[in-house]
Amino acid sequence: MAKIGTMKVSGKSGTEYAFDLYPTGTTFKPLGAVYIITMRVAKPTGGGTHTYIYVGETGDLSTRFDGHHKQECFDNNEVNCIGIHLDDSEDSRLSKESDLHEGHDWPCND
């Protein structure tokens, strides 16, 4: 599926992270990334607003969403968007994930 946009999300530190946005169900290559799961509402004028639902990291996007352990929570929150911030360093991904987690309320991370 095609990319539907981009957005920046700030962590607790104030650092902004750029995410490429895709609809849920997108097939990804086996790349490392920090990812966010959102409920996106499109605006008639373009773009959209996002409710943050979950933040995570993975070393392999191609398999991460197959049977995700939070899928029931995603379904309950009507998620429809995945934001991807590519990063091949596990240490860097973990640091970014923590910064983002501490900067926002993520209902499915609880």
Side-chain angles (χ1 to χ4, degrees):
M1 291 185 198
K3 183 168 93 169
I4 56 177
T6 60
M7 92 173 158
K8 291 183 180 179
V9 181
S10 296
K12 183 177 181 180
S13 69
T15 301
E16 286 188 332
Y17 304 98
F19 287 85
D20 291 326
L21 304 174
Y22 298 87
T24 54
T26 299
T27 300
F28 296 102
K29 293 181 180 179
L31 301 169
V34 177
Y35 62 93
I36 59 174
I37 306 293
T38 73
M39 198 276 287
R40 179 179 183 269
V41 176
K43 292 181 180 179
T45 57
T49 60
H50 294 264
T51 301
Y52 301 144
I53 305 298
Y54 184 85
V55 60
E57 68 82 27
T58 182
D60 186 352
L61 284 170
S62 70
T63 61
R64 184 63 189 113
F65 305 106
D66 299 339
H68 196 283
H69 66 285
K70 293 291 185 168
Q71 188 62 52
E72 182 177 353
C73 187
F74 296 168
D75 293 343
N76 290 339
N77 283 279
E78 301 178 12
V79 303
N80 59 6
C81 186
I82 300 172
I84 303 299
H85 173 87
L86 294 177
D87 187 335
D88 61 0
S89 166
E90 182 179 16
D91 289 340
S92 176
R93 290 192 311 267
L94 290 168
S95 176
K96 291 173 182 178
E97 176 191 27
S98 178
D99 188 29
L100 288 161
H101 183 265
E102 292 174 10
H104 301 278
D105 179 34
W106 304 91
C108 288
N109 280 94
D110 297 332

